[in-house]
Amino acid sequence: MHVDETSLRVDRKNHWIHVCPAGHITYKFLHPKRGLAAIEASGVIPRYGGVIIHDCWASYLSYDQCGHGLCGSPCCASSPSSSTPMTMPGRPI
């Protein structure tokens, strides 16, 4: 399951819309915070035991019951070349 978040203005305040698309279903969750509090409130990732594909954001790495895969775009931009192996801190990918 891919997971991501992006900012969204609500009543002139920054909120975060968290999305979890999987197959033909996309779960969207609006929360005033971006971090673990929002992920926990959504209830999806804390109960999920499969692989989550994400951008290596630290909050996603907090879930040890999930496998982790990187979507690539932010991480590849920091890699000096495509032949450089990508790693996540403390985790094989």
Side-chain angles (χ1 to χ4, degrees), residues 15-56:
H15 282 63
W16 295 90
I17 186 159
H18 297 258
V19 296
C20 303
H24 298 291
I25 298 172
T26 299
Y27 177 76
K28 298 175 185 173
F29 181 74
L30 184 64
H31 197 274
K33 297 191 176 190
R34 181 182 182 210
L36 281 173
I39 294 171
E40 289 291 319
S42 77
V44 175
I45 297 172
R47 295 184 207 157
Y48 187 68
V51 175
I52 56 175
I53 307 299
H54 55 84
D55 58 5
C56 204

Side-chain angles (χ1 to χ4, degrees), residues 34-80:
R34 181 182 182 210
L36 281 173
I39 294 171
E40 289 291 319
S42 77
V44 175
I45 297 172
R47 295 184 207 157
Y48 187 68
V51 175
I52 56 175
I53 307 299
H54 55 84
D55 58 5
C56 204
W57 183 45
S59 291
Y60 297 132
L61 294 172
S62 300
Y63 294 93
D64 292 329
Q65 86 280 7
C66 295
H68 296 270
L70 301 182
C71 68
S73 58
C75 298
C76 288
S78 64
S79 177

Side-chain angles (χ1 to χ4, degrees), residues 79-92:
S79 177
S81 74
S82 60
S83 63
T84 302
M86 300 301 295
T87 59
M88 293 190 302
R91 297 180 187 271

